[in-house]
Amino acid sequence: MTTEVAVMNRTAISLAADSAVTIGGDKVYNTVNKLFTLSKTEPVGVMVYGSASIMNVPWETVIKTYRKELGAKSFPTLKAYSDDFIEFLSRDGGIFSEKARERFIDQTILSLCDLMREEVVNDERLQGDSDESIYKRAAQIASEIVKREYEAISAGCEISEISDRVEKMLEVHGDRFYRLAASSLEKIFPLLEVGDKELLRRALAMYFHSDYLLGDFSGIVIAGFGEQDLFPKVITMHMQGFLGSTNKVVVESAKSNLVEDEEFSASIIPFAQSDMIHTFLAGIDPFLDRVYRNEAAGTIMNVVDAAADKVREDEREQFRTDLAAAAEEAFGSMLKAIETKQRETYLSQVISMLDSLPKDELAEMAETLVNLIAFKKKVTRGTESVGGPIDVAIITKGDGFVWMKRKHYFDPALNHHFFSNYNKNI
């Protein structure tokens, strides 16, 4: 896991990322680079979280290959950088070989089917006296999951716009989808109805064209300024892979700051593990907040039921309905009042201060927020999945990308040639 944060106001944006990577569930290394310049000459940076590679190619290699190709080229907007980066990743004959693309298809299909099998196996309805009855029930559960996932995948795309590409994918890879599904679902797959098998095959083909995401993905944060951008911007994407014109990329709109310049003031945008940052901004841990809300709602409904039980039987149901509606309305009003107080006491004060914070203080704030989570991981049980040196950078319109803190896997004093060669290929 990881923790990253973007802290921005009208003057600059600061990016901070930890260095921890967890391998095999419990082995942690604190030497990974997650923050990079996207251009050697322009004020644009990029952070990576989630999966450390894309289609088995490390993100560090991908980013530095793109940066070398980009050279001194610039774009008018940050979105144009994002679009060009995606075009680079999508290019036929580019960084991903045909074999890598086929492997991506296989890994994705097997991952989706494995998730389905796991859900079937863990379903409480799989209780019976014979293997035959268990398999039949498993097939029924699998059928329900196929229909549900097809609906979810369909909701994440415009079917009319992708129908031709889906048909082409089925024509080329349809038989492979069947083989992989049969391999992953083992004894369940043969028991599915013909219609369910076809629906599964079509759902798997549509998945590559849908905004619906399952399984591991990489988070990409592109931040900075295009030539025409007066204030800093952030674009966040989730990526799983690339098949030429088919790109498994989902823009995370909630964390992509693309508002009009005059509406922008300041933002703190956390990525990956972010509970302590939310606690700092809201004054309460997100998990504890959910517990309070759920417990309060349950207690209120218990009071409603207890009160209704004391009413005459012929009036009881109407009384319960009316009282529940009144309680729900009152509870909603109470939550709104609490949220307003939270904004006034915590978030608004921080954002107000952040709007005028100088560049060096922005960097210190970003580093401190990452350190909050690293410290919590250090003093609580479990793997220290956030930690190590924190890389910090500031990006401004005039000064460009400036490192405030940066680790090296080598001794800089012994490698002057590295720094002299850095800008040679521009």
Side-chain angles (χ1 to χ4, degrees):
M1 291 298 289
T2 189
T3 290
E4 298 171 357
V5 66
V7 180
M8 56 200 296
N9 59 20
R10 294 175 184 271
T11 302
I13 179 168
S14 179
L15 305 176
D18 77 316
S19 301
V21 61
T22 306
I23 299 175
D26 57 359
K27 187 67 175 177
V28 178
Y29 293 95
N30 290 315
T31 56
V32 177
N33 292 321
K34 304 173 186 178
L35 173 58
F36 308 90
T37 55
L38 192 64
S39 167
K40 289 186 177 182
T41 61
E42 302 303 314
V44 183
V46 59
M47 294 192 296
V48 179
Y49 63 95
S51 179
S53 63
I54 182 80
M55 295 171 67
N56 294 323
V57 180
W59 271 112
E60 183 168 355
T61 300
V62 171
I63 291 168
K64 291 182 177 179
T65 301
Y66 171 77
R67 190 171 65 194
K68 183 176 180 179
E69 180 178 300
L70 184 66
K73 186 178 181 181
S74 63
F75 294 100
T77 64
L78 188 71
K79 186 175 187 305
Y81 282 99
S82 171
D83 293 341
D84 188 67
F85 186 54
I86 292 174
E87 193 279 329
F88 165 79
L89 295 171
S90 309
R91 197 176 301 158
D92 288 327
I95 196 167
F96 303 119
S97 67
E98 189 60 35
K99 183 173 290 187
R101 295 175 189 234
E102 291 180 0
R103 187 166 53 239
F104 167 60
I105 293 175
D106 291 353
Q107 290 174 340
T108 301
I109 298 303
L110 286 173
S111 176
L112 296 176
C113 291
D114 286 349
L115 289 172
M116 182 186 301
R117 186 189 68 245
E118 185 177 344
E119 185 174 347
V120 171
V121 170
N122 293 327
D123 195 290
E124 294 180 352
R125 289 172 287 174
L126 281 189
Q127 305 294 329
D129 299 326
S130 68
D131 289 344
E132 182 179 357
S133 64
I134 288 176
Y135 286 131
K136 286 182 179 178
R137 275 198 294 278
Q140 177 59 40
I141 296 167
S143 174
E144 295 171 4
I145 295 172
V146 168
K147 292 181 175 65
R148 184 197 71 204
E149 293 303 313
Y150 179 83
E151 291 298 324
I153 293 169
S154 300
C157 60
E158 290 292 337
I159 296 178
S160 60
E161 295 180 4
I162 67 168
S163 58
D164 291 343
R165 283 180 285 164
V166 169
E167 294 303 325
K168 181 67 179 294
M169 178 164 272
L170 286 171
E171 181 183 335
V172 176
H173 301 290
D175 292 341
R176 175 184 288 179
F177 291 173
Y178 265 129
R179 290 198 308 273
L180 294 171
S183 172
S184 177
L185 296 175
E186 300 175 313
K187 297 178 181 179
I188 300 172
F189 187 78
L191 297 175
L192 289 174
E193 299 290 340
V194 173
D196 288 331
K197 292 179 181 178
E198 178 58 29
L199 197 64
L200 174 59
R201 191 175 76 116
R202 185 162 292 275
L204 293 174
M206 288 174 57
Y207 178 79
F208 292 94
H209 307 270
S210 172
D211 284 350
Y212 187 57
L213 278 174
L214 281 172
D216 293 335
F217 62 84
S218 298
I220 301 296
V221 181
I222 297 178
F225 301 78
E227 289 182 335
Q228 297 175 6
D229 292 329
L230 185 61
F231 302 139
K233 290 184 168 57
V234 171
I235 297 176
T236 304
M237 297 169 285
H238 294 161
M239 298 184 178
Q240 282 189 323
F242 297 83
L243 301 173
S245 61
T246 300
N247 306 320
K248 194 62 179 169
V249 179
V250 179
V251 176
E252 193 179 10
S253 300
K255 291 187 176 180
S256 294
N257 195 320
L258 295 173
V259 297
E260 294 298 321
D261 291 344
E262 60 268 19
E263 296 177 5
F264 173 73
S265 58
S267 296
I268 298 174
I269 311 175
F271 305 95
Q273 297 189 56
S274 57
D275 53 338
M276 286 299 293
I277 297 176
H278 286 296
T279 301
F280 170 74
L281 294 175
I284 185 172
D285 179 84
F287 173 76
L288 187 59
D289 188 34
R290 289 193 297 272
V291 170
Y292 280 149
R293 288 169 183 260
N294 292 336
E295 288 296 325
T299 300
I300 289 171
M301 291 313 299
N302 288 337
V303 171
V304 168
D305 290 338
D309 288 340
K310 299 182 181 299
V311 176
R312 280 173 29 190
E313 187 173 352
D314 60 331
E315 299 176 353
R316 185 172 301 160
E317 195 57 40
Q318 186 61 48
F319 178 82
R320 177 182 282 110
T321 300
D322 294 341
L323 185 58
E328 185 176 348
E329 183 178 354
F331 185 58
S333 298
M334 182 190 74
L335 291 180
K336 287 182 180 179
I338 292 174
E339 289 165 2
T340 299
K341 196 65 176 179
Q342 275 184 308
R343 283 194 299 271
E344 293 173 350
T345 307
Y346 297 96
L347 183 60
S348 295
Q349 292 190 26
V350 172
I351 296 300
S352 175
M353 175 274 302
L354 183 61
D355 193 27
S356 57
L357 210 61
K359 295 187 284 292
D360 57 335
E361 296 290 345
L362 276 179
E364 184 177 346
M365 184 175 191
E367 181 184 6
T368 300
L369 290 173
V370 174
N371 257 324
L372 279 174
I373 297 179
F375 181 71
K376 181 181 179 182
K377 291 293 181 182
K378 185 176 181 178
V379 299
T380 55
R381 293 182 183 274
T383 304
E384 288 186 43
S385 54
V386 176
I390 298 174
D391 290 333
V392 186
I394 281 280
I395 307 174
T396 61
K397 181 76 171 175
D399 298 333
F401 189 107
V402 176
W403 287 105
M404 303 296 285
K405 288 190 177 182
R406 186 190 189 192
K407 66 180 176 296
H408 293 287
Y409 65 90
F410 54 83
D411 185 347
L414 300 177
N415 292 274
H416 297 290
H417 64 283
F418 171 84
F419 300 98
S420 62
N421 289 335
Y422 183 80
N423 288 318
K424 269 189 176 179
N425 295 319
I426 296 178

